[in-house]
Amino acid sequence: MKIVTGHLGSVAPGGRSVTWAATGRFGGHSLPPFDELNLATYVGDAPGDVKRNLQVAAASIGLASTDLVLMQGVHGAQVAVVDQGGPVSGVEPRCDALVTRTPGVGLVALAADCVPMVLADAANAVIGAVHCGWRGLIAGVVPAALDQMNLLGADQVHAVIGPSICAKCYRVPSERVLELRGALPNAISAVACPESEVARIDVGAGVRAQLAAAGVSASKVTTLAGCTAQSRGLFSYRRDGLTGRQGMLVRL
Ligand SMILES: [Zn+2]
């Protein structure tokens, strides 16, 4: 997949709008096994190639790479509120969700099987970017990001969910389903798909269940097509091990 972009909110003169982008594997500078558009600095790719790829990704939402904020993901529920591009105090924030009210700051969530997603209330000018895997579902990073956005004035959030691994491809130990059942009793049928002694998790469905529980109705949620493990146009950690990361970007 090449970069896909879209807008939320009003594009009329004086209206507030949000631009988002979803990157895939193609259209970048990295060499195998990170080919082509790897956006992660922490996977062992050549830093110069990643920098050029980040420039490509930033340009897709009309920004420079220095306007972007990335995360050191920790599979938790920490949310960082940022107001400028680049590392905070020299390092990328340790969190799995970023929120801003500042126009021209590009928030980035990276993933390769987990869910990368963006959240946006264009009318109230609050946006977020979230990384969520099964641990993020249990930790509640999606509701935590929505809570922070609401504190900053959001009340009509839309979500765009990037490609992740589908339930068919995501077999897990049955203990993991039990953990999820404990954490998400109301969403478990949407999250875990037990089938002939093989447990499977649908993280995207879990994210949608948590969005709905937090008041983001299905009509405000867009899910981009594609399973990371099945599409050669997307990075998949489960399929390839050492590989790159695609991302979702958003800006006011
Ligand atoms: Zn799949």
Side-chain angles (χ1 to χ4, degrees), residues 164-170 226-231:
S164 62
I165 192 167
C166 79
K168 188 179 159 205
C169 297
Y170 198 16
C227 164
T228 48
Q230 289 176 58
S231 172

Side-chain angles (χ1 to χ4, degrees), residues 22-24 77 100 102 105 114 117 124 127 139 144 149 176 181 192 199 216 226 236:
T23 71
T100 192
T102 308
V105 172
C114 289
M117 62 188 293
N124 291 304
I127 57 172
M149 291 177 69
R176 193 157 303 162
R181 185 169 288 141
V216 181
S236 171

